[in-house]
Amino acid sequence: MLSFKSMPGTKTAQESDPAELLAAREAYELGCLLSVANEDIPGFERHYQLVKSCYTDYAGVLKPSENQHQLQGLNLLCLQAQSKIAEFHTELELIPVDLWDSNAFIKFPIKLEQYLMEGSYPTVLAAAGSTPAPSYNFFVGMLSGTVSSPTNHDDG
């Protein structure tokens, strides 16, 4: 990628080489997934910021990615797991509302957020067995550990 003349952020979408942008987007997507597999939150966040630019700034020249919604959902989960609720809602606003209920990758973190806000911790714990993709397990595990800790809620 070092020899690419059209790295995201270096040229406008119309001036960029779609093949180079596509290769960069796929590399960033893989970086996100590998970071999650390695439980590397800072790595995931770095790669996600790069791929997010491909999804937004270059949507007019790149075909939609099969991984976009999964990674957007992972990002929402990452923010939840770190209690970055304001950022969660900011990122959620960037996702079309029609996907909130129709896309399993997006719907899952939204439902978890609702369960957390309701204080329905057993439902959050039960959700760990129904993630839409194995890549979600790391962040769901972090959330499950948070809600199952006796210092975080009253079991009485």
Side-chain angles (χ1 to χ4, degrees):
M1 288 180 13
L2 293 174
S3 65
F4 286 3
K5 306 227 184 305
S6 297
M7 286 299 291
T10 60
K11 294 183 176 185
T12 66
Q14 293 73 26
E15 298 172 324
S16 297
D17 179 349
E20 289 181 356
L21 290 174
L22 182 61
R25 182 182 74 187
E26 289 176 357
Y28 299 150
E29 288 175 337
L30 287 172
C32 286
L33 294 172
L34 286 171
S35 294
V36 170
N38 291 322
E39 300 181 358
D40 175 11
I41 294 172
F44 172 78
E45 291 172 332
R46 277 191 310 275
H47 286 101
Y48 185 76
Q49 289 307 312
L50 293 166
V51 79
K52 180 179 166 185
S53 169
C54 295
Y55 296 153
T56 56
D57 302 340
Y58 299 95
V61 294
L62 290 174
K63 64 180 177 138
S65 170
E66 294 177 9
N67 296 313
Q68 180 174 348
H69 298 130
Q70 178 183 359
L71 293 176
Q72 286 173 317
L74 274 171
N75 183 53
L76 292 173
L77 282 175
C78 179
L79 295 170
Q80 282 178 327
Q82 298 177 82
S83 299
K84 296 180 178 179
I85 304 307
E87 290 94 333
F88 172 91
H89 288 283
T90 300
E91 288 295 314
L92 184 58
E93 293 299 321
L94 299 175
I95 299 170
V97 174
D98 62 316
L99 294 176
W100 292 13
D101 280 330
S102 66
N103 186 283
F105 294 118
I106 304 302
K107 184 177 182 175
F108 185 83
I110 292 171
K111 284 294 188 189
L112 280 182
E113 173 67 8
Q114 289 173 347
Y115 302 147
L116 288 167
M117 292 296 112
E118 294 168 357
S120 182
Y121 302 121
T123 310
V124 173
L125 294 171
S130 62
T131 60
S135 59
Y136 280 47
N137 292 338
F138 171 58
F139 294 123
V140 172
M142 287 178 64
L143 278 170
S144 295
T146 300
V147 300
S148 66
S149 172
T151 59
N152 290 320
H153 64 278
D154 181 16
D155 290 322

